Amino acid sequence: MRIALGVEYDGSRFCGWQTQKNGERTVQEVVERALSSVADQDVQVFAAGRTDTGVHAIQQVIHFDTIAVRPMHGWVMGANIKLPKDVSILWAKEVPQAFHARFSARARTYRYLILNRRSRPALMARRATWIHRPLDAQLMHRSGQALLGKQDFTSYRTVHCQAKSPIRTLHSLSVERHDDFLVMEVHADGFLHHMVRNIAGVLIAVGSGDRPPDWAAEVLAHRDRRLGGMTAAADGLYFYRVDYDPQYKIPAIPQDSGLLWNL
């Protein structure tokens, strides 16, 4: 059978999602090890998106195939016993063979969390990006609207990005302030390597007054990463949601997903 899982993780102490040849600690590695133990056979998982070093997930969606028969709650509880405390399986459900965590995805959503105050964080260290200079969230929001639609995001991806095409469709982008926190949410058909962090870097420069409001559009038009400004830190980036055809009945984001996620 094919089983889909929802996975939550704190990426602070992981070298990203994907298993590394050099043996670095990754989320995929620990999840596959835990599921293999429950299945009593090797399990290979496929994810909706690959997150980088230090990036978190509110609900990553993965799938795997197995001949092992377990109740769905058995996969959840059994894996969680084996997993480290910074990774948790949220749910499990059987899905059709046509379902693929990555290729069946219609769109993905990331959220970028900024703590905007003069004093550095303690409780939110490695879970939010700290910017001590005042940021204008409304200005950042307006600037980001220039990125909507089907665009060439060459300027917003790392030079090491392996995607064949830089064309992506950005469905929505918002920046909102909630007291000392700013939340940037981006929703697109797909993302390029470092795309969200590079967008955040440009908008932070706009919000702090270092760059004019039309700079996000100018960077896009250049189609040159060297003119794209800084890449924002991974600390504040969260893989938030994946959209699938309703027929698959993928569970919604849990309502207790933590600070600000229900705003």
Side-chain angles (χ1 to χ4, degrees):
M1 67 177 66
R2 177 160 294 183
I3 297 174
L5 302 172
V7 188
E8 174 185 279
Y9 53 86
D10 178 342
S12 302
R13 295 177 175 84
F14 288 100
C15 292
W17 165 265
Q18 190 175 14
T19 299
Q20 303 292 321
K21 293 181 180 180
N22 59 12
E24 296 281 359
R25 185 176 188 252
T26 68
V27 184
Q28 182 180 8
E29 171 209 349
V30 299
V31 169
E32 287 183 342
R33 186 187 305 138
L35 291 172
S36 295
S37 177
V38 177
D40 197 26
Q41 61 183 213
D42 289 341
V43 167
Q44 182 181 13
V45 302
F46 300 88
R50 300 172 181 174
T51 54
D52 292 331
T53 299
V55 177
H56 319 292
I58 298 299
Q59 181 162 273
Q60 170 76 271
V61 177
I62 67 175
H63 84 265
F64 67 96
D65 293 330
T66 183
I67 60 173
V69 178
R70 307 284 186 272
M72 290 301 114
H73 73 271
W75 291 110
V76 175
M77 301 303 293
N80 281 339
I81 290 173
K82 302 292 184 178
L83 284 168
K85 292 182 179 180
D86 43 6
V87 183
S88 178
I89 305 299
L90 302 173
W91 50 263
K93 71 183 304 290
E94 186 175 356
V95 290
Q97 286 293 318
F99 175 85
H100 193 286
R102 178 183 175 188
F103 298 120
S104 297
R106 291 179 166 183
R108 297 164 179 82
T109 302
Y110 280 85
R111 283 189 172 184
Y112 195 84
L113 182 63
I114 300 170
L115 178 61
N116 188 210
R117 70 184 190 193
R118 295 186 65 180
S119 56
R120 63 175 176 80
L123 296 178
M124 294 300 294
R126 297 193 299 272
R127 294 183 178 88
T129 294
W130 173 49
I131 304 293
H132 72 278
R133 297 174 61 189
L135 296 175
D136 186 329
Q138 294 183 348
L139 191 62
M140 294 167 67
H141 175 85
R142 291 199 300 271
S143 179
Q145 302 315 294
L147 305 180
L148 298 184
K150 190 175 183 179
Q151 308 275 13
D152 182 331
F153 284 96
T154 297
S155 295
Y156 286 94
R157 68 170 177 171
T158 174
V159 295
H160 303 295
C161 181
Q162 298 178 355
K164 294 180 180 179
S165 171
I167 306 298
R168 295 292 185 272
T169 300
L170 197 63
H171 300 307
S172 65
L173 185 155
S174 64
V175 181
E176 297 181 354
R177 176 176 285 279
H178 303 274
D179 298 322
D180 287 338
F181 289 97
L182 272 69
V183 180
M184 181 185 81
E185 179 175 295
V186 286
H187 177 62
D189 60 352
F191 291 91
L192 302 163
H193 193 196
H194 284 181
M195 179 174 162
V196 181
R197 290 169 59 189
N198 288 334
I199 291 174
V202 166
L203 296 186
I204 288 170
V206 170
S208 66
D210 288 341
R211 294 286 186 169
D214 58 357
W215 192 50
E218 291 179 7
V219 169
L220 183 72
H222 286 315
R223 298 183 182 179
D224 187 341
R225 176 59 203 143
R226 294 171 297 177
L227 303 176
M230 75 169 189
T231 299
D235 298 346
L237 184 56
Y238 292 77
F239 189 101
Y240 180 61
R241 187 181 70 239
V242 192
D243 296 342
Y244 295 101
D245 189 296
Q247 67 172 311
Y248 296 125
K249 299 181 181 179
I250 298 300
I253 301 296
Q255 291 302 301
D256 61 347
S257 295
L259 182 66
L260 295 179
W261 304 127
N262 296 317
L263 295 174

